[in-house]
Every structure is written in C-alpha cells, then in structure tokens.
C-alpha cells in the first residue's frame, strides 16, 4: 500500500502556520510529511522561507509520524554541521526522520559569497559530502584535506549518535541523476513529471543497484472550482515551471519573478495537477502509485492548506489507503 504524505513548503507558508498545518495533516490521516529547505522563496508572491531544521524539531516534537527534509551539504551547511543536525534529530526522535541530500540551487547557496560552481563540481561535492556524513553518523572521527570542490574536515566527531542511522535519500529529477545516486542512496525521491519520465527515473535507479523506497512529491492544486484551483496554481507556482539548468543556476527571487512574467496557464498545467474534482486527483495519484512509488507526498501549491487537508482526508486518502 502506498503511503500518503503531506509536503510542507517553507517558501510559501510561515513556519508558525506550517507547524499547525503539519499537525492538522497528521490528525486528518496523512501517513507522513516532508519539507523543503530554502533560504529564499521562488517568488515574492510566496514570501516566506523559515529555517527547516529549527522547524523540524518542533514538528517532530508535536506529531508522531515520520518527517524528512531536503538538505544541501556545501557552503551553507558544511557536511559536518549537517550530520550534526541530522544525528541530533534522529537521536531525539528515533526512526522518524531522514534527509534527501541534493546539490542545491544558487538562489539559496549564493548567500555565503563563495560563488556557484558548475554542475559537475557540485555533483562531486555532494558525493564527497555524503561520504563525510555517512562516516560521522557511523561514529568515526573524520579528517579530510581540501579538494577541488572544497570539502575539508578537521577532526570532526559526533558525540551523540542515534540508535538508528537516519536514511540518506537521493533527490533526482533525471534518469542520469537517479543512476548516479544509486551507489550511495538509501532511497530516492523525485517530483511530478510525465509518467513515462518517472518510470525511466525509477528504472535507472533500480538498474544501477539503487535500494530502498522510492517517493514522489506531487505538485497539485485543488479548490472548490476549477477557476479557483487554476488561480492558486498560477499565482503561486508559475515561477516553478522552468527546466534545468534554470532552477539550479538562477540566483534570485527577483529573477524568477521576471521570467515568470512570460509564463502562461498552459505551462503551469504541465507541472501542477490542477482540478476541482477529487476523483480526478485520485485517478492521477493511483497512476503514480502503480509506478511503484512507496510514498506520495502531496504538495497543494496554495498558501491556505486547511481546506485541502480536510477535503483530501474525506475524499482522497480513503481511496488510496484502503
């Protein structure tokens, strides 16, 4: 049975409200949750970006289900610092958290003033960071000399280790990225794409030896009418329709908003499942589940979550969890 999770979008909702939302999602019957990790939003219309790690501690303390996050080892979070944060959460909340380790986006990582490396360098940095994090979570003292990608560690050791090492998940959009991550990842998470593309992503991960569960973050918009559902998606998510390398290499909220001025509703429909019909949403989600995803994290792209949570709890979750 596919588990249905709730996606908490820090770019769109204040951390205080998002804490209430994730608590509501658990009460409504969602099986798990995940959150984004941003320093800046994709659009000024979204207008938020609370700290994911501070929020996670509060969310895990006030719910009982599993909650994970995207996490970017690099300049903003040195891999030793990231391992320290993750180990502490996992020690306090055994078996209830995970991190999806990605190569990042310029809009969040440029803040350290270190510049934005090219993709191949970011991928090498990620893989070296994963090695550091795994060794620290295993209780090793880690020293690593500086490399071409800047992953340098001096006698780092974690003094409070979790009883259960939290999974390190690979976020991947392309089959190539999924295959590359298979060597180190404990699972895979990807985002809404055409079904054939999603099938290739899963196959590439498994064919390369990838183990562990696979999950999908589903961007959707629901409202009582189609017009309202489209208006929500267009307002909040038209800055998120661009293909790589634009999302990774664009370094400011203002730049995304400038590009979004030329985006039409058709482009938003290509990346967000939009409908007033809960039956249509069930159909789409069943199609994803049949691809073999273990968990579907539902991301209603609106800023008001309560009506979505209540409606999907009544009309969508029962059809998927039975």
């Amino acid at each position: 049975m596919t588990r249905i999770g709730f996606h908490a979008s820090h770019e769109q909702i204040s951390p205080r409200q998002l804490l209430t939302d994730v608590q509501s999602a658990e009460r409504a019957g969602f099986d798990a949750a995940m959150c984004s990790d941003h320093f800046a939003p994709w659009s000024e219309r979204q207008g938020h970006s609370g700290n994911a790690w501070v929020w996670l501690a509060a969310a895990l303390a006030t719910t009982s289900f599993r909650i994970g996050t995207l996490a970017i080892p690099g300049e903003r979070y040195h891999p030793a610092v990231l391992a320290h944060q993750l180990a502490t959460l996992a020690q306090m909340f055994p078996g209830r958290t995970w991190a999806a380790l990605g190569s990042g986006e310029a809009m969040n990582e440029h803040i350290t003033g270190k510049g934005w490396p090219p993709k191949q360098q970011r991928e090498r940095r990620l893989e070296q960071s994963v090695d550091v994090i795994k060794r620290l979570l295993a209780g090793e003292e880690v020293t690593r000399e500086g490399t071409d990608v800047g992953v340098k560690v001096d006698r780092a050791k974690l003094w409070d280790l979790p009883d259960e090492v939290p999974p390190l998940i690979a976020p991947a959009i392309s089959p190539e990225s999924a295959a590359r991550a298979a060597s180190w990842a404990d699972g895979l998470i990807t985002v809404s794409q055409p079904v054939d593309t999603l099938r290739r992503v899963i196959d590439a991960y498994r064919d390369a030896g990838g183990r562990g569960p696979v999950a999908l973050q589903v961007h959707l918009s629901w409202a009582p009418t189609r017009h309202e559902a489209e208006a929500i998606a267009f307002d909040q998510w038209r800055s998120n329709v661009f293909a790589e390398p634009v999302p990774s290499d664009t370094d400011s909220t203002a730049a995304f908003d400038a590009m979004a001025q030329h985006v039409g509703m058709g482009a938003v429909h290509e990346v967000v499942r939009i409908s007033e019909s809960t039956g249509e949403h069930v159909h789409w989600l069943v199609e994803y589940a049949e691809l073999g995803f273990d968990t579907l994290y539902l991301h209603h792209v609106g800023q008001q979550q309560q009506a979505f949570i209540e409606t999907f709890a009544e009309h969508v979750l029962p059809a998927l969890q039975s």
Side-chain angles (χ1 to χ4, degrees), residues 172-241:
I173 296 176
S174 69
E176 294 76 17
S177 295
R180 181 166 182 156
S183 64
W184 62 262
D186 298 316
L188 179 81
I189 187 165
T190 188
V191 297
S192 299
Q193 298 182 81
V195 168
D196 287 344
T197 303
L198 291 174
R199 185 178 291 111
R200 291 200 304 274
V201 169
I202 295 174
D203 289 346
Y205 179 68
R206 296 299 190 203
D207 290 346
R211 62 191 189 282
V214 291
L216 176 68
Q217 180 188 348
V218 182
H219 302 308
L220 65 90
S221 182
W222 172 87
T225 69
R226 183 179 179 86
H227 175 76
E228 290 175 281
E230 287 188 329
I232 289 168
F234 187 73
D235 176 69
Q236 285 292 296
W237 216 245
R238 70 179 183 268
S239 299
N240 297 69
V241 302

Side-chain angles (χ1 to χ4, degrees), residues 8 10 14-24 26-27 33 35 50-69 85 88-90 92-93 96-97:
H10 283 289
S14 76
R16 180 172 56 196
Q17 180 59 49
L18 206 54
L19 185 61
T20 298
D21 291 337
V22 77
Q23 294 163 355
S24 295
E26 183 183 37
R27 288 194 300 271
C35 74
N51 184 279
W53 293 92
V54 175
W55 181 87
L56 270 171
L60 287 162
T62 56
T63 61
S64 60
F65 59 9
R66 191 176 178 91
I67 310 176
T69 184
Q85 294 172 156
T88 299
L89 281 179
M92 291 191 296
F93 307 104
R96 291 185 51 210
T97 194

Side-chain angles (χ1 to χ4, degrees), residues 1-248:
M1 183 178 69
T2 302
R3 303 191 326 153
I4 306 301
F6 172 78
H7 176 71
S9 179
H10 283 289
E11 313 94 284
Q12 297 179 270
I13 301 168
S14 76
R16 180 172 56 196
Q17 180 59 49
L18 206 54
L19 185 61
T20 298
D21 291 337
V22 77
Q23 294 163 355
S24 295
E26 183 183 37
R27 288 194 300 271
F30 283 80
D31 299 311
M34 66 168 288
C35 74
S36 54
D37 178 8
H38 271 245
F39 197 88
W42 301 102
S43 168
E44 286 193 12
R45 295 181 305 278
Q46 294 177 343
H48 297 279
S49 265
N51 184 279
W53 293 92
V54 175
W55 181 87
L56 270 171
L60 287 162
T62 56
T63 61
S64 60
F65 59 9
R66 191 176 178 91
I67 310 176
T69 184
L70 290 171
I72 312 301
E75 296 294 340
R76 183 164 63 106
Y77 292 126
H78 186 282
V81 173
L82 194 54
H84 193 193
Q85 294 172 156
L86 183 58
T88 299
L89 281 179
Q91 201 264 357
M92 291 191 296
F93 307 104
R96 291 185 51 210
T97 194
W98 50 266
L101 303 179
S103 59
E105 290 121 359
M107 67 182 301
N108 300 310
E109 309 305 323
H110 76 85
I111 60 168
T112 64
K114 298 290 188 179
W116 184 237
K119 181 178 180 180
Q120 288 186 342
Q121 188 173 334
R122 298 197 307 269
E123 288 176 341
R124 291 198 304 274
R125 181 173 68 184
L126 172 61
E127 289 164 355
Q128 292 178 19
S129 296
V130 168
D131 177 68
V132 169
I133 292 168
K134 285 193 169 189
R135 290 171 61 192
L136 288 169
L137 291 173
E140 295 182 34
E141 179 179 282
V142 178
T143 293
R144 189 183 185 98
E145 297 301 324
T147 67
D148 61 326
V149 294
V151 180
K152 185 174 183 178
V153 187
D154 180 29
R155 294 167 293 167
K157 177 181 171 67
L158 298 179
W159 292 88
D160 283 290
L161 293 169
D163 296 330
E164 179 182 334
V165 176
L168 302 180
I169 306 299
I173 296 176
S174 69
E176 294 76 17
S177 295
R180 181 166 182 156
S183 64
W184 62 262
D186 298 316
L188 179 81
I189 187 165
T190 188
V191 297
S192 299
Q193 298 182 81
V195 168
D196 287 344
T197 303
L198 291 174
R199 185 178 291 111
R200 291 200 304 274
V201 169
I202 295 174
D203 289 346
Y205 179 68
R206 296 299 190 203
D207 290 346
R211 62 191 189 282
V214 291
L216 176 68
Q217 180 188 348
V218 182
H219 302 308
L220 65 90
S221 182
W222 172 87
T225 69
R226 183 179 179 86
H227 175 76
E228 290 175 281
E230 287 188 329
I232 289 168
F234 187 73
D235 176 69
Q236 285 292 296
W237 216 245
R238 70 179 183 268
S239 299
N240 297 69
V241 302
F242 308 108
E244 288 291 351
V246 173
S248 294

